[in-house]
Amino acid sequence: MNPPSRADARAIGIDIGGTKMAVAAVDAAGTLHARVTLPTEAELGFARAVERLAGAIAAVCEQAGWPPVGLSGIGIGCAGPVDPARGWINNPYTLTGWDRCDIVTPVRARFGVPVRLENDADVAAVGECFAGAGRGFDPVVMLTLGTGVGGAAIVRGAIYRGAGGEHPELGHLLVASDGPECYCGARGCLESLVSGTAVGAAGRAQGYAEARAVFAAARAGEPAARAIVDRAREALAAGAWTIFHTFLPRRLILGGSIGEAHFDVFAAAIRARLARATQFTAGGVEVVPAALGNDAGVLGAAALVLG
Ligand SMILES: [Zn+2]
């Protein structure tokens, strides 16, 4: 991201996920001054969640010793789909009942400062570029490997947007035409082979309880588990090949619970492919782990209103 305009600027970053919400006080240097988490409890209603978020914003300002009137703004990252232009959350899929919910207007009215909303994958990438593994690099692509596969590109310091302002769906890159069916309508996307959901489903067919057990058994050398993980890593390497040839990012950042815990496994496969690439300068691109963990969301959300 571009350097903040004021070195002493202060903002609130909010990260809304399916089960938890985090609210943090962040300054322009990327320092976290206070952070609280609370259960999302989406099913209790959107209005109630906004009330609880407002209370959490006031609480972190108090913990940080910041008067709310001095804030540069409040940035919000939310599990998508979201409509950043309208400030709407359109995600009844993982946030029960939250469809066409305007979060920007009530928060702006309450605190009287600029408020911005973005997709959580975009916000995590902004966070890594603001204060983590992407700082000082451009362009940057981040893949978040967790329950699903999220992706975002930061180009010339800004979130890359496609038609209608929507962000690229890198989780649905096709990597194996004979792969499992995906909910997106295709077969063999990254999402259907690399996500925790996909690895868990393939593992259950072989008697493993969940994705974590598959990765553990693969590390122990069990052939059935290794076959699942090998397929996932080759799928990710194929997807990374496409990403490198499309965006030519200086850095591809792997984040999310699976991307961070098993970075070595995935990075080795991606690097082996990159070593064979002929269409760009060797060493000009690299794959690195995310550096901020669970803080990428709140730091990136704050960076939205600090620039
Ligand atoms: Zn798909």
Side-chain angles (χ1 to χ4, degrees):
M1 299 300 288
N2 295 325
S5 53
R6 287 185 294 139
D8 60 346
R10 298 161 165 180
I12 298 296
I14 299 176
D15 182 11
I16 303 175
T19 56
K20 279 188 297 189
M21 304 190 287
V23 180
V26 179
D27 69 20
T31 303
L32 249 159
H33 290 261
R35 187 186 203 280
V36 300
T37 59
L38 53 165
T40 306
E41 296 176 338
E43 68 283 1
L44 298 182
F46 176 71
R48 181 162 167 179
V50 170
E51 280 303 309
R52 293 164 60 238
L53 279 174
I57 292 167
V60 294
C61 284
E62 190 174 326
Q63 283 179 34
W66 294 357
V69 290
L71 294 173
S72 296
I74 297 170
I76 304 168
C78 182
V82 302
D83 182 338
R86 287 195 171 99
W88 289 1
I89 298 169
N90 300 321
N91 182 9
Y93 316 103
T94 60
L95 297 167
T96 306
W98 293 21
D99 195 12
R100 301 166 69 92
C101 288
D102 177 357
I103 192 165
V104 167
T105 302
V107 174
R108 189 172 51 208
R110 178 76 67 103
F111 292 95
V113 296
V115 179
R116 274 187 65 186
L117 170 70
E118 296 285 355
N119 175 288
D120 60 351
D122 288 328
V123 161
V126 169
E128 289 289 343
C129 288
F130 173 49
R135 190 170 199 164
F137 296 90
D138 196 297
V140 166
V141 173
M142 182 168 176
L143 284 178
T144 305
L145 314 179
T147 308
V149 178
I154 305 296
V155 179
R156 293 181 191 148
I159 297 168
Y160 176 85
R161 300 178 201 278
E166 305 218 17
H167 81 150
E169 287 290 346
L170 300 178
H172 300 281
L173 287 177
L174 287 179
V175 290
S177 56
D178 62 342
E181 280 186 14
C182 177
Y183 60 84
C184 74
R187 197 177 256 286
C189 315
L190 278 181
E191 177 95 19
S192 71
L193 287 159
V194 186
S195 67
T197 305
V199 171
R204 277 191 294 282
Q206 301 288 334
Y208 297 104
E210 32 120 48
R212 193 177 310 185
V214 176
F215 281 104
R219 282 191 189 273
E222 290 184 26
R226 285 198 63 157
I228 296 168
V229 173
D230 283 352
R231 194 174 191 206
R233 69 203 289 262
E234 288 311 313
L236 187 65
W241 178 273
T242 298
I243 288 169
F244 276 114
H245 286 80
T246 305
F247 291 98
L248 213 60
R250 284 281 288 110
R251 287 194 151 184
L252 172 63
I253 300 172
L254 297 187
S257 56
I258 289 177
E260 291 174 41
H262 307 290
F263 175 79
D264 56 339
V265 170
F266 290 113
I270 292 170
R271 287 171 181 151
R273 290 240 182 173
L274 277 180
R276 301 203 298 270
T278 61
Q279 302 301 302
F280 45 80
T281 308
V285 300
E286 56 188 339
V287 56
V288 298
L292 303 177
N294 287 337
D295 289 335
V298 288
L299 286 164
L304 295 173
V305 291
L306 283 167

